[in-house]
Amino acid sequence: MEAKLKRTLRSTARRLKSRVIVGKAGLTDPLVENIRRLFDGAELVKVRIVPAHADKADEICERIAQEVPCEFIDRTGFVASFYRAAVGESGPAPL
């Protein structure tokens, strides 16, 4: 992914609310399926990771990116942003 596109996505994601919370149970199959469904209606999704998983936050982000599949954009504290282009598009929709 190009650096300019990543910067634009990171900037756009800052204005979004977290739509998924990785709770005490961690990253479960139903949670991954929920993230996939969210990408049906949006290209950017923010995920909040509870502080109990702080030591595993990077691992959780990698697993989300692999299992959904999507692109990991950024993580600030306990909130991570992910991107997946809309079906049939080669790049992001106009912002």
Side-chain angles (χ1 to χ4, degrees):
M1 178 178 291
E2 296 177 18
K4 184 176 180 180
L5 173 60
K6 202 167 192 174
R7 262 194 320 270
T8 302
L9 292 170
R10 192 171 28 239
S11 173
T12 303
R14 288 184 197 275
R15 295 184 293 252
L16 299 176
K17 299 257 185 210
S18 298
R19 301 194 52 201
V20 177
I21 297 174
V22 178
K24 290 187 276 184
L27 188 63
T28 61
D29 289 338
L31 191 59
V32 170
E33 188 58 39
N34 187 28
I35 296 170
R36 285 186 190 125
R37 279 194 304 268
L38 287 172
F39 274 119
D40 289 342
E43 291 185 330
L44 279 171
V45 173
K46 283 178 78 172
V47 176
R48 178 172 297 280
I49 302 166
V50 296
H53 293 295
D55 56 333
K56 298 178 185 177
D58 291 330
E59 178 186 326
I60 290 171
C61 291
E62 288 176 23
R63 283 189 51 210
I64 290 172
Q66 289 174 355
E67 293 180 26
V68 169
C70 58
E71 296 255 356
F72 171 66
I73 300 299
D74 186 39
R75 181 173 73 88
T76 305
F78 300 113
V79 179
S81 305
F82 298 90
Y83 167 77
R84 184 166 77 181
V87 177
E89 293 188 25
S90 59
L95 302 174

